[in-house]
Amino acid sequence: MVIAVASDHGGFKLKLAVKEHLIGRGYKVVDLGTDTEDSVDYPVYGQACGEAVAAGKADLGVVCCGTGIGISIAANKVKGVRCALCTSVEMAELAKQHNNANVLALGGRILETEEAIRITDAWLDSEFQGGRHKRRTDMLDAM
């Protein structure tokens, strides 16, 4: 499985930690930037990750900015992306189980690294439940 990661400067350190963790779990990781803590515009990186997932260049994506809010909005502008901003393990599990989120957003200034890793693992290890949720994700995808 290929996972795309991207961040702005506010999520840069968290992205690096998540990337290292994903590689340790055996995933192939494509890093779409940014590559420094110099100020950049989060929409560029949210869009890049969203487009990689939507185009099938990556199976899933993880995006990080200071709060996770802006970059999640940017990723969700890409048709076919269901990006969920998660701040707890339960949110991450439900984002996958009910919404089949294909991109996870995390806040580098909001979450401690260890909690972000737990959230990422919960999201990756959860499975979409389908059923009534499939009807709803189909509606989202048709928008």
Side-chain angles (χ1 to χ4, degrees), residues 1-4 28 30 32 48-60:
M1 178 178 293
V2 177
I3 301 178
K28 179 179 178 191
V30 177
L32 301 172
C49 187
E51 287 177 348
V53 171
K57 294 177 182 174
D59 300 294
L60 298 171

Side-chain angles (χ1 to χ4, degrees), residues 84 86 88-101 122-123 126 128-129:
C86 297
S88 72
V89 166
E90 183 179 19
M91 287 177 73
E93 290 169 345
L94 292 171
K96 182 67 80 61
Q97 292 170 358
H98 291 187
N99 309 112
N100 203 18
W123 175 68
S126 295
F128 182 50
Q129 293 177 344

Side-chain angles (χ1 to χ4, degrees), residues 7-138:
S7 73
D8 73 352
H9 55 283
F12 176 69
K13 286 182 181 178
L14 183 59
K15 178 195 73 170
L16 291 180
V18 169
K19 176 182 173 180
E20 181 179 312
H21 179 73
L22 294 172
I23 291 169
R25 283 193 57 172
Y27 293 104
K28 179 179 178 191
V29 177
V30 177
D31 189 335
L32 301 172
T34 190
D35 299 320
T36 72
E37 290 184 85
D38 295 339
S39 183
V40 294
D41 298 320
Y42 62 79
V44 172
Y45 300 95
Q47 180 179 6
C49 187
E51 287 177 348
V53 171
K57 294 177 182 174
D59 300 294
L60 298 171
V62 178
V63 293
C64 305
C65 70
T67 62
I69 297 168
I71 204 162
S72 68
I73 293 169
N76 275 317
K77 292 283 188 176
V78 178
K79 186 162 180 60
V81 170
R82 289 178 305 281
C83 180
L85 170 58
C86 297
T87 57
S88 72
V89 166
E90 183 179 19
M91 287 177 73
E93 290 169 345
L94 292 171
K96 182 67 80 61
Q97 292 170 358
H98 291 187
N99 309 112
N100 203 18
N102 54 9
V103 178
L104 174 67
L106 302 167
R109 295 182 184 132
I110 304 299
L111 296 168
E112 296 294 327
T113 301
E114 297 77 19
E115 183 66 8
I117 296 298
R118 285 190 290 274
I119 289 167
T120 302
D121 284 345
W123 175 68
L124 288 169
D125 296 340
S126 295
E127 293 185 23
F128 182 50
Q129 293 177 344
R132 70 183 187 277
H133 306 296
K134 174 81 168 93
R135 181 177 71 250
R136 296 166 184 155
T137 58
D138 288 345

